Amino acid sequence: DTISTNHVDEDSTANLPQSNHYIEERDDDDDEYIDLDDMTDDELEEICVSRGFELVKEVDPATGEPIVYSHKDYVNAAMECLQIESDLEEILQKHPEIMEDVKKESERMMKERD
């Protein structure tokens, strides 16, 4: 299964609950829409972490206490992570030479490290 962002037109969402936070989960030829609002905060955070992003927990400068985030904050963060992933995929599809450059640079850095 892979989770990806998908622009959803109104006709294809006629039977979905009223939310703007959908992702499409693809399982071969079976498509299913998932409402991000229905996911737990941990599941939403995992969307970002599994894609190599870290959700930075901010601290209130006045109290020194960690800021407590709302479920909507987690939904928005997951949407942002999915959008970044989608944007990068689109860029790499249009410019595959970028991936070759990244691979070469990675190999060069690994040799330097050793």
Side-chain angles (χ1 to χ4, degrees), residues 2-16:
T2 59
I3 297 176
S4 62
T5 59
N6 187 33
H7 173 71
V8 181
D9 63 34
E10 291 184 26
D11 293 337
S12 67
T13 62
N15 297 323
L16 296 174

Side-chain angles (χ1 to χ4, degrees), residues 83-99:
Q83 186 60 54
I84 292 168
E85 178 185 53
S86 177
D87 292 347
L88 287 172
E89 286 176 2
E90 184 178 336
I91 289 168
L92 290 174
Q93 285 177 355
K94 290 180 180 178
H95 304 283
E97 69 278 3
I98 292 174
M99 186 54 87

Side-chain angles (χ1 to χ4, degrees), residues 22-23 32 35 39 58 60 70 72 78 101 111 113:
Y22 291 102
I23 55 175
E32 178 182 336
D35 188 341
M39 298 176 80
E58 296 179 48
D60 184 333
S70 69
K72 182 157 180 57
D101 292 343
K111 286 180 184 174
R113 186 186 70 185

